[in-house]
Structure formats: structure tokens, C-alpha cells
Amino acid sequence: MRPRIFLFGDSITEQSFRSGGWGAALADTYSRKADVVVRGYGGYNTRWALFLLHHIFPLDSLNPPAATTIFFGANDAALKGRTSDRQHVPVEEYKDNLRKIVQHLKKCSPTMLVVLITPPPIDEAGRKSYAESVYGEKAMNEPERTNEMAGIYAQQCVELAKELGVRSVNLWSKMQESEGWHKKYLSDGLHLTADGNAVVHQEVSKVLREAWLSPGEMPYDFPHHSHVDGSNPAKAFHDRCL
């Protein structure tokens, strides 16, 4: 049975199987080696994600994921009193919610590889332009997200990963290493462009490879065609499947 890699997060995860998405690229990387399962929920924060844990990751599962990415924070970091107020989660609660998610996953399987991904940086001008395109004159002048606040949540995510001994991807810092990251990586100031998706795929793949899920070292689920003897195909399948 193929191992499974779950992607658990908000809209950036939900959209990851679109054309050029990081989840689709990950599925291609692990083609015939592991199944990549998307569990992304647009608009969700960590508070709401807690209600999903027992449904997506039941404790009595006989086939828990081999690895899971946890990619929340973009909505938690929405500013209090602004247009996305209902999604806001205080940073202390955000960190505690992430801790509860990790602890639940480890109860499902102590050997599960857990990867925390920070929220991406915010292009505030891009978010303003997006709001104006949607709401016109009704768009609020004050930003509903800021890059500074996203960075605070990202820092807590990375710190928690160190505390719990799990791996992390600091997307907030990584993306800002590139000149012109605002438009290069973000389509509307928050969600990812094709280049932004490529960064996530690259960083997540690196973490998985450095752990114990290197696709180059994993066996195919069934024999590669080059190993099938045309005059006696049953042998290859007998050796692998029986």
C-alpha cells in the first residue's frame, strides 16, 4: 500500500491542485511512490481547523498518513476590527491551536512526519488593489492584513516547531529573500502565483527528502515496465505483489 502525504490547511492548500499548484507538483514528484491527499479549506483558521481533526485524522485509523503538512496562519493573522475580523485568532491562541493539531497527529501515529508551514508574506498594496477590484468604493482604506503581523505569526509557527521537535518551512522569510517578491510570488497580495507555488513545492519537497520520504529512494507501488519480462510477465508481478 502506498504511503499517504496529507496537505492540511486553508485556501492556499485548497488551491494547491490547480494548474501550477504546489500540491499537484508534489503529487507528480511522488508519482507511483505515495498518494498526496489535499484537505484544504478556504477561509479557515486554526480555531476552526480543530473541529476537523477527528474527521480527517481519526485516532483509530489503520492507515494514518506517513506525513502531513499543516499550513495555517494567513487567516488567523487577519487584523481585528477590519473586514476579515471574524477570521482573526490571537497569536497566542494560534500557537496553541497548532500545538493541539500536532499533538493530535502524533497520537494518530507517533512516526508521522509533521511539517509546519508559516503563512506567506503579505503584499499590502496588492491586497488593497484586490479589495478595490471586488468592493469598489466600499473597500476599506485600512488594510485587513499586514506583512508585519503575518511575520509575527510566522515566528510563532517556527518557534513551536522547534519546541515540539517537528520540521517547518518558513515561507514568510523564504519568499522575501527574492527581489520583487510582492508580485512575483503573490497574485492578490496573499494567494500564490505559479512562481509562489513553485517555492512551496521546492521547500516542502526539501523537508520531505531530508527526512525519510525521499522519492528517489522509495519503491514503485508495482513493477516498473522495464522489469516486466514480456515472455513471462507473471514473474515480476508475483515477486512484487505476492
Side-chain angles (χ1 to χ4, degrees):
M1 182 179 294
R2 292 185 192 178
R4 298 186 299 165
I5 301 171
F6 270 54
L7 314 181
F8 185 41
D10 53 34
S11 58
I12 302 176
T13 296
E14 182 178 358
Q15 297 173 10
S16 69
F17 258 65
R18 292 181 177 179
S19 178
W22 66 275
L26 200 65
D28 180 62
T29 298
Y30 284 88
S31 178
R32 295 186 58 187
K33 304 294 184 69
D35 289 330
V36 178
V37 182
V38 177
R39 292 295 181 268
Y41 302 88
Y44 273 53
N45 54 33
T46 54
R47 183 184 295 164
W48 303 346
L50 293 178
F51 291 100
L52 309 182
L53 286 180
H54 286 277
H55 298 279
I56 301 173
F57 306 101
L59 293 177
D60 59 354
S61 173
L62 298 179
N63 182 31
T68 299
T69 60
I70 305 172
F71 194 175
F72 289 98
N75 297 314
D76 298 69
L79 299 181
K80 189 72 175 173
R82 305 289 171 83
T83 53
S84 298
D85 176 270
R86 68 188 181 86
Q87 294 171 304
H88 170 77
V89 172
V91 68
E92 298 83 4
E93 182 188 343
Y94 164 72
K95 185 176 182 180
D96 189 52
N97 290 341
L98 285 181
R99 179 182 287 107
K100 291 176 181 176
I101 294 172
V102 173
Q103 290 173 340
H104 179 88
L105 294 178
K106 286 299 185 178
K107 286 181 181 178
C108 289
S109 172
T111 61
M112 188 188 305
L113 175 61
V114 176
V115 182
L116 290 174
I117 305 176
T118 75
I122 298 295
D123 172 16
E124 295 170 29
R127 287 306 290 169
K128 188 174 189 299
S129 296
Y130 171 75
E132 290 173 347
S133 70
V134 174
Y135 302 110
E137 296 180 354
K138 295 182 179 179
M140 291 185 67
N141 292 324
E142 297 292 334
E144 36 87 53
R145 287 172 172 80
T146 65
N147 193 40
E148 179 183 9
M149 186 60 69
I152 292 173
Y153 282 68
Q155 180 182 4
Q156 292 303 308
C157 179
V158 172
E159 288 184 4
L160 179 67
K162 292 178 181 178
E163 289 176 23
L164 299 180
V166 300
R167 291 167 171 80
S168 66
V169 172
N170 191 339
L171 198 60
W172 187 84
S173 293
K174 183 65 180 179
M175 285 188 165
Q176 293 184 82
E177 293 175 1
S178 299
E179 185 176 352
W181 60 268
H182 307 75
K183 300 298 183 286
K184 183 177 182 180
Y185 295 143
L186 303 172
S187 63
D188 59 1
L190 172 63
H191 296 92
L192 307 178
T193 62
D195 286 338
N197 274 283
V199 172
V200 180
H201 171 246
Q202 175 183 325
E203 294 302 306
V204 171
S205 294
K206 179 182 178 182
V207 169
L208 297 180
R209 285 197 308 271
E210 290 176 349
W212 49 272
L213 278 174
S214 174
E217 299 175 1
M218 296 169 67
Y220 284 107
D221 52 354
F222 294 109
H224 190 270
H225 70 85
S226 62
H227 296 160
V228 180
D229 184 345
S231 61
N232 184 20
K235 184 179 186 304
F237 293 98
H238 182 276
D239 291 346
R240 175 61 65 85
C241 304
L242 301 178

